[in-house]
């Protein structure tokens, strides 16, 4: 038992050192010993192991006026790679992340409204193989593949329980992909993946308590508390699509009345567009294009979305009182005018006692958010003790 504890302690110390290098590079061995409170001998042993395994590199610092130049440690960007994937209703997004969390390759592949699960998996396998081959990633250099999917996910079993956007139910996508790739594969809700990238630091998030709201073909949220994703009992925390906004509203597919999804879904937005233009703006993508083109009906749609989003933000703030709320989604990305309208609505609807202390901001990651977060998610999981 004692020997097992010692092995675990060594692994824990190694992880602490690697995390400190990641967050403070370039850093010297002396600085590492000071920050981690480990002995110089322990630091030297761990650093040497990490160098031999190609995780880190050492280099002399710039010339100083007096004394020896310290040797500084950095992560090796090419030490390991991970792949992040977003599966959306109309596209795949795929990215390659190096060991310092830089996105070194990113592609987007249209799906042409393919809804058959088997067809999507077949296409994904083909594109993944090509992507790995193109980037010349060796199997022992690939930490794993992370995939963000909209809907309710059993992340432990790797099963899509239900995805309204993709029309999938009880699909074992992790097992199906493991038949083709000999590396760890992680599946989760796409916003729970994205919030990892939004938190701004790999091992120690800048904001410990934050909520990410995603607005697209569906509306959802991811919640981070004390630096960790809050999942709830069965990974359903953040399913705000079924917030009750009006108890006397229409009946939702879930059986309740007045759910948020009824007011922000594609058909609800399309109903705000003049009838003669609805055949043109018949998808969410087309509606977003119309908003960016400042069509005559754009302000009506913007006001509608901003009203229901601000009410939702207030509800989340009242429950969790986070440090920040991050809003993401095609409707709001690269649209400063709409963002300002939403902020104005928030001032009106958010409880004044706590609202001024909470930062509301907009994601700057746009199309790469889920992909980067999924790849980071894999790195964090695979580099744990």
């Amino acid at each position: 038992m004692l020997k097992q504890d010692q092995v675990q302690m060594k692994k824990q110390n190694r992880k602490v050192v690697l995390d400190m290098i990641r967050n403070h590079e370039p850093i010297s061995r002396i600085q590492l010993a000071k920050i981690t409170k480990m002995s110089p001998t322990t630091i030297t042993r761990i650093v040497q192991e990490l160098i031999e395994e190609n995780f880190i590199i050492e280099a002399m610092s710039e010339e100083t006026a007096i004394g020896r130049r310290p040797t500084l440690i950095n992560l090796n960007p090419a030490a390991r790679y991970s792949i992040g994937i977003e599966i959306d209703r109309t596209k795949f997004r795929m990215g390659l992340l190096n060991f310092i969390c830089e996105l070194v390759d990113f592609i987007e592949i249209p799906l042409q409204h393919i809804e058959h699960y088997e067809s999507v998996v077949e296409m994904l396998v083909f594109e993944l193989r090509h992507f790995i081959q193109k980037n010349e990633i060796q199997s022992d250099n690939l930490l794993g593949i992370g995939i963000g999917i909209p809907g309710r996910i059993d992340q432990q079993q790797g099963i899509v329980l239900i995805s309204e956007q993709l029309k999938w139910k009880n699909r074992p996508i992790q097992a199906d992909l493991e038949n083709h790739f000999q590396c760890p594969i992680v599946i989760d809700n796409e916003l729970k993946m994205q919030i990892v990238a939004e938190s701004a630091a790999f091992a120690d998030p800048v904001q410990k308590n934050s909520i990410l709201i995603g607005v697209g073909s569906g509306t959802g949220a991811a919640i981070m508390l004390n630096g960790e994703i809050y999942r709830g009992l069965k990974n359903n925390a953040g399913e705000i699509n079924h917030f009750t906004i009006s108890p006397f509203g229409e009946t939702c597919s879930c059986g309740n009345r007045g759910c948020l999804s009824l007011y922000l879904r594609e058909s609800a937005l399309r109903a705000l567009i003049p009838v003669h233009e609805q055949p043109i703006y018949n998808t969410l993508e087309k509606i977003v294009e119309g908003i960016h083109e400042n069509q005559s009906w754009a302000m009506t749609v913007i006001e509608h979305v901003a009203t229901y989003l601000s009410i939702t933000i207030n509800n989340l703030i009242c429950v969790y009182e986070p440090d920040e709320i991050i809003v993401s989604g095609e409707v709001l990305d690269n649209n400063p005018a709409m963002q300002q309208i939403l902020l104005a609505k928030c001032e009106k609807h958010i409880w004044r006692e706590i609202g001024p202390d909470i930062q509301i901001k907009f994601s700057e990651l746009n199309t790469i958010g889920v992909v980067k977060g999924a790849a980071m998610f894999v790195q964090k999981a695979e580099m744990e003790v």
Side-chain angles (χ1 to χ4, degrees):
M1 186 67 180
L2 181 60
K3 185 176 181 181
Q4 185 177 350
D5 289 344
Q6 290 174 338
V7 170
Q8 186 66 19
M9 178 64 74
K10 285 184 177 181
K11 288 182 178 180
Q12 181 63 40
N13 287 344
R14 173 190 167 99
K15 180 183 183 302
V16 169
V17 170
L18 197 55
D19 285 346
M20 289 303 102
I21 295 170
R22 185 181 292 278
N23 285 342
H24 300 284
E25 64 175 329
I27 188 170
S28 68
R29 298 188 187 201
I30 295 172
Q31 289 170 318
L32 276 174
K34 184 177 180 181
I35 293 173
T36 62
K37 295 182 170 56
M38 296 181 197
S39 70
T41 302
T42 299
I43 291 295
T44 296
R45 175 183 58 79
I46 293 173
V47 167
Q48 191 57 42
E49 287 177 1
L50 293 173
I51 290 173
E52 289 172 1
E53 294 174 43
N54 208 31
F55 282 113
I56 62 175
I57 50 180
E58 282 190 310
M60 299 295 287
S61 68
E62 295 295 325
E63 194 74 57
T64 58
I66 56 173
R68 288 182 57 190
R69 291 186 296 166
T71 302
L72 298 181
I73 302 166
N74 288 274
L75 293 181
N76 177 7
R80 300 290 188 276
Y81 292 90
S82 58
I83 294 173
I85 297 170
E86 177 184 7
I87 302 178
D88 201 358
R89 186 176 56 173
T90 60
K91 62 182 79 70
F92 290 143
R93 292 186 175 118
M94 192 178 299
L96 182 69
L97 205 72
N98 66 15
F99 201 56
I100 59 172
C101 294
E102 293 175 334
L103 202 59
V104 294
D105 194 11
F106 176 83
I107 59 172
E108 190 170 283
I109 304 145
L111 273 178
Q112 299 177 336
H113 300 283
I114 297 172
E115 293 182 353
H116 296 295
Y117 170 77
E118 292 78 10
S119 300
V120 173
V121 170
E122 183 180 349
M123 185 175 179
L124 181 57
V125 169
F126 174 82
E127 295 294 345
L128 255 172
R129 283 176 173 162
H130 178 70
F131 190 70
I132 292 170
Q133 184 178 20
K134 181 184 74 167
N135 284 283
E136 300 180 345
I137 304 300
Q138 303 300 316
S139 58
D140 59 352
N141 223 26
L142 181 61
L143 281 171
I145 300 166
I147 305 177
I149 300 172
R152 291 175 51 218
I153 312 294
D154 180 341
Q155 90 283 3
Q156 293 183 334
Q157 300 296 322
I159 297 172
V160 180
L161 299 176
I162 186 164
S163 175
E164 295 176 13
Q165 292 95 320
L166 300 175
K167 306 290 189 290
W168 292 357
K169 189 174 182 179
N170 295 324
R171 296 297 191 175
I173 187 168
Q174 179 177 313
D176 289 342
L177 290 174
E178 284 175 343
N179 291 332
H180 300 275
F181 300 98
Q182 305 306 310
C183 67
I185 295 175
V186 180
I187 312 295
D188 210 339
N189 172 271
E190 90 279 33
L191 294 177
K192 288 183 173 70
M193 294 291 201
Q194 183 176 341
I195 201 170
V196 175
E198 298 284 355
S199 63
F202 185 89
D204 186 22
V206 172
Q207 297 292 358
K208 299 291 187 181
N209 303 300
S210 61
I211 298 176
L212 169 68
I213 299 174
V215 186
S217 51
T219 305
I223 303 159
M224 181 174 282
L225 301 177
N226 298 318
E228 299 290 337
I229 295 172
Y230 176 69
R231 297 184 176 278
L233 184 63
K234 294 184 177 179
N235 202 34
N236 294 321
E239 287 293 326
I240 61 174
N241 248 337
H242 298 289
F243 263 16
T244 299
I245 297 297
S246 171
F248 309 107
E250 294 179 43
T251 302
C252 179
S253 59
C254 73
N256 287 332
R257 287 184 173 273
C259 290
L260 177 65
S261 63
L262 297 172
Y263 300 92
L264 293 182
R265 63 186 179 182
E266 186 179 285
S267 59
L269 302 186
R270 196 166 62 243
L272 300 171
I273 299 171
V275 175
H276 67 280
E277 293 194 55
Q278 288 182 13
I280 301 171
Y281 300 99
N282 59 352
T283 66
L284 180 63
E285 291 76 17
K286 290 293 183 182
I287 293 171
V288 171
E289 285 179 18
I291 290 172
H292 287 297
E293 293 166 358
N294 294 315
Q295 292 292 330
S296 59
W297 45 263
M299 190 54 67
T300 302
V301 174
I302 289 171
E303 289 278 344
H304 175 91
V305 171
T307 297
Y308 286 104
L309 262 185
S310 61
I311 292 169
T312 301
I313 289 170
N314 176 63
N315 291 344
L316 289 167
I317 285 175
C318 287
V319 174
Y320 294 102
E321 195 179 6
D323 302 315
E324 64 178 10
I325 296 280
I326 308 164
V327 185
S328 175
E330 295 173 282
V331 180
L332 291 133
D333 290 345
N334 303 314
N335 192 333
M338 187 170 183
Q339 293 173 5
Q340 290 305 311
I341 290 171
L342 176 59
L343 291 175
K345 292 279 186 180
C346 286
E347 285 188 19
K348 178 181 177 181
H349 290 292
I350 291 175
W351 183 28
R352 288 176 176 80
E353 291 294 321
I354 58 175
D357 298 320
I358 296 170
Q359 183 182 12
I360 298 174
K361 65 182 188 180
F362 299 92
S363 173
E364 297 179 354
L365 297 177
N366 299 336
T367 58
I368 69 169
V370 176
V371 166
K372 186 171 183 179
M376 289 177 67
F377 196 97
V378 170
Q379 284 202 22
K380 286 170 70 72
E382 293 305 310
M383 296 307 294
E384 290 291 332
V385 174

